Amino acid sequence: MMLKKSILLIGICLCLCPGVWADTGTVLFLYTSDLHDYIKPGPDNLGGLPYVAGHVASVRETRDDILLLDGGDVMEKGDMVSFKTQSRIMYEAMGKLGYDAGAVGNHDLTYGLDHLRECSKLSGMDHLCLNYNDNKGDPYFPPSKMYTVNGAKIGVIGLTVMKGGPFLDLPECGVRLAAEATRLKEAGAHIVVVIAHIGSAELAKLSALAPQVDLLFGGHTHEVRKEPRPVPETGALILMAGQYARYVVHMEVTLDLDEKRMVDQKMRLVAMEHDKITPDRDMMAWVKEEEMKYCPEALEVVGKSNATILPDKMAKVAAVALKRRSGADAAFCHPGQIMRSSLPAGAIDSNLIFRTGGQRGSELVLARLTGEQIQAYLGGLAQERKGQTEWAGFQAKLSYDREGDQWKASSDLNPDTRYTVVLPELEWSTRLARVAKKDPLLANLKAPVDLDFTFTQAVAAYVKEITEQGQTLDEHVNSLD
């Protein structure tokens, strides 16, 4: 009698707890975003694709339920060898890592759509994008793909920046996302995830419009999050991976394959610290070989700094270097428009100099401006609130005329004398050209002349000269103030 009661009790418990015998599966999502051409290890003990590769390989030694994803912006901002190969080396490296799928970032279209498609083939991964469409409304890339991992079907949808035009914005992007997520669920997906080149704030808005999505892996804003950001309205989780191959997100989920839902999840953010992660030595050697092939000058150590030099100070160094290299009367270098990053403390090689402003300063021009026009440019920048450029070759100061509500610049230049001025072509075509549209003094400027050297070459030569004089770069920068 007692045996029958025990069996009955067990049966009742099983009926009340159907999940006890549920068929479950696990998936480990590994996620990066905003790699930005940082293929080489960073100088601050953090980052670099060889370390990501080594880490992913070590995880794969113990698990076979991995989906490796990326949130876009693989191109621009980073190393010289990446720039010289138009980021092809980055996608080749991602192919070596075995990425499954990637989102499309705004910087990934720098060299055009056809180039990105070529790079996509090099990587071997699926580029997915729901909201980047041609003039017929058809997506340039597949919106989504279903992956089977460890018995679980994972629906992955790709999104890029929502900025209107061919890039669908809210709320249309949300409507399309909801429809695609529903389609994937109906096709048998146990879970639907989004890989998006979109920041967490906008992803939260999208989640509210598409509650069928379970996980949203974001990017673009370079956010570092050690914990998922929950969306209160939907229960979805948002995950961010920072930038420059510094972090890899681990998101492990346990799925009820019968109920098609997550029953457990655990997330951690793994820093690619050089003293804790074993790099992929083969990839490290391969990157160095590619550097030697495309830009051996990147490896040359030209100086040292005992302190980090911020972008505005590096722009000042660059202005002096450009003037000296060109022999011009004056030089400009706009920190906000040209500089990408600070120069870290330690040994300085040409690649680190390139990282600061070498990409945007790759093309330089020589113009002829009167002293009055130079002053008009400086005053116009302040008036337009476009940040101030750094300059070399003259003394100047800005002042605000409250009565006329106008910023003006004064200098030791002769207003009527025409001076030769060297500056990055990008500064000429954006900042100076914008000011020229509103100031008659800058109207009808003659087109500048292209120069045959780059920002990196000029700054590297200048730093080398400083080093030979027995100074570190930080000491020299302090003397420029």
Side-chain angles (χ1 to χ4, degrees):
M1 188 67 176
M2 289 295 295
L3 180 59
K4 289 183 179 180
K5 287 184 178 180
S6 297
I7 292 173
L8 179 61
L9 183 60
I10 292 171
I12 291 171
C13 289
L14 290 176
C15 289
L16 293 175
C17 306
V20 171
W21 299 107
D23 187 12
T24 61
T26 59
V27 180
L28 176 60
F29 296 96
L30 300 181
Y31 180 72
T32 59
S33 185
D34 296 276
L35 299 176
H36 280 302
D37 273 349
Y38 274 70
I39 195 164
K40 295 186 67 176
D44 50 359
N45 193 47
L46 192 64
L49 271 185
Y51 283 88
V52 175
H55 175 65
V56 170
S58 70
V59 177
R60 283 189 172 133
E61 287 178 359
T62 60
R63 306 202 47 159
D64 61 359
D65 58 347
I66 295 170
L67 204 58
L68 181 57
L69 307 172
D70 182 74
D73 265 9
V74 173
M75 297 187 190
E76 287 202 310
K77 297 187 180 183
D79 295 310
M80 190 187 297
V81 67
S82 300
F83 175 72
K84 292 285 188 178
T85 61
Q86 294 188 316
S87 301
R88 290 181 181 90
I89 190 173
M90 290 292 293
Y91 291 93
E92 287 185 58
M94 294 176 84
K96 293 176 185 290
L97 267 86
Y99 274 83
D100 294 292
V104 175
N106 52 302
H107 285 275
D108 297 330
L109 294 166
T110 294
Y111 304 109
L113 181 59
D114 289 341
H115 180 76
L116 177 56
R117 283 175 169 156
E118 176 195 337
C119 289
S120 185
K121 290 178 181 177
L122 287 174
S123 72
M125 67 180 171
D126 301 306
H127 272 95
L128 307 175
C129 195
L130 176 78
N131 64 319
Y132 176 37
N133 299 332
D134 62 21
N135 54 16
K136 295 179 182 178
D138 297 324
Y140 285 112
F141 295 91
S144 67
K145 184 171 178 177
M146 191 87 82
Y147 297 87
T148 301
V149 180
N150 198 29
K153 291 184 177 180
I154 314 300
V156 181
I157 302 171
L159 294 174
T160 190
V161 288
M162 299 183 296
K163 58 181 182 179
F167 304 92
L168 301 181
D169 206 345
L170 286 168
E172 186 177 0
C173 185
V175 172
R176 296 273 189 98
L177 177 60
E180 188 65 13
T182 298
R183 187 189 70 78
L184 288 169
K185 288 278 190 179
E186 291 174 349
H190 294 99
I191 186 175
V192 174
V193 307
V194 162
I195 49 174
H197 198 66
I198 298 171
S200 64
E202 286 194 298
L203 283 179
K205 297 175 184 177
L206 274 174
S207 178
L209 296 173
Q212 306 89 339
V213 175
D214 301 284
L215 300 174
L216 301 104
F217 294 89
H220 187 53
T221 49
H222 297 192
E223 298 168 58
V224 178
R225 288 186 170 272
K226 294 183 178 180
E227 299 289 339
R229 173 180 172 173
V231 181
E233 299 91 336
T234 63
L237 300 175
I238 298 172
L239 304 104
M240 307 293 292
Q243 62 183 355
Y244 303 162
R246 291 170 174 258
Y247 301 96
V248 175
V249 167
H250 284 226
M251 182 60 171
E252 182 176 11
V253 301
T254 302
L255 302 172
D256 183 324
L257 300 181
D258 296 323
E259 297 291 332
K260 294 183 179 178
R261 63 186 179 88
M262 281 195 301
V263 294
D264 194 19
Q265 56 85 16
K266 181 171 60 178
M267 177 260 181
R268 65 190 181 106
L269 187 69
V270 182
M272 296 296 101
E273 295 173 289
H274 299 170
D275 55 351
K276 296 180 181 178
I277 304 293
T278 302
D280 183 321
R281 302 293 180 188
D282 290 338
M283 181 173 287
M284 199 89 83
W286 171 70
V287 171
K288 189 171 183 178
E289 287 175 7
E290 294 298 289
E291 267 191 311
M292 291 301 295
K293 184 192 302 182
Y294 290 101
C295 50
E297 68 274 18
L299 299 165
E300 183 185 7
V301 175
V302 295
K304 179 183 177 182
S305 179
N306 290 323
T308 297
I309 302 175
L310 298 177
D312 60 331
K313 299 295 185 181
M314 277 304 297
K316 180 65 175 179
V317 170
V320 176
L322 296 181
K323 178 181 179 301
R324 291 173 73 91
R325 177 65 182 258
S326 65
D329 299 312
F332 294 129
C333 185
H334 195 292
Q337 184 68 1
I338 305 303
M339 309 308 290
R340 290 288 201 186
S341 67
S342 302
L343 186 77
I348 303 169
D349 62 22
S350 289
N351 188 66
L352 289 177
I353 291 172
F354 178 85
R355 282 184 176 183
T356 66
Q359 180 182 324
R360 288 179 164 179
S362 60
E363 296 178 14
L364 303 172
V365 295
L366 187 72
R368 295 185 66 83
L369 302 173
T370 65
E372 188 176 37
Q373 287 174 323
I374 289 172
Q375 292 174 179
Y377 175 47
L378 299 180
L381 279 174
Q383 193 69 19
E384 289 289 308
R385 297 181 179 179
K386 288 296 180 181
Q388 194 51 259
T389 192
E390 294 290 341
W391 61 82
F394 59 93
Q395 299 294 318
K397 64 179 181 179
L398 289 161
S399 59
Y400 179 62
D401 177 5
R402 292 185 178 276
E403 186 174 332
D405 188 26
Q406 185 78 23
W407 282 94
K408 294 182 179 179
S410 58
S411 73
D412 59 356
L413 297 170
N414 186 322
D416 300 320
T417 300
R418 195 169 293 276
Y419 299 93
T420 54
V421 181
V422 61
L423 70 163
E425 192 282 330
L426 187 63
E427 182 173 353
W428 168 273
S429 61
T430 54
R431 294 297 192 259
L432 200 152
R434 183 184 179 94
V435 171
K437 288 180 180 179
K438 296 189 176 183
D439 194 324
L441 288 173
L442 292 165
N444 302 316
L445 289 175
K446 290 185 178 180
V449 177
D450 294 336
L451 295 176
D452 61 357
F453 64 92
T454 67
F455 170 104
T456 303
Q457 290 169 334
V459 176
Y462 184 46
V463 172
K464 203 170 184 178
E465 182 182 327
I466 292 165
T467 302
E468 290 170 352
Q469 294 171 359
Q471 273 192 313
T472 60
L473 185 58
D474 56 308
E475 290 173 335
H476 181 73
V477 166
N478 291 335
S479 71
L480 296 176
D481 293 335

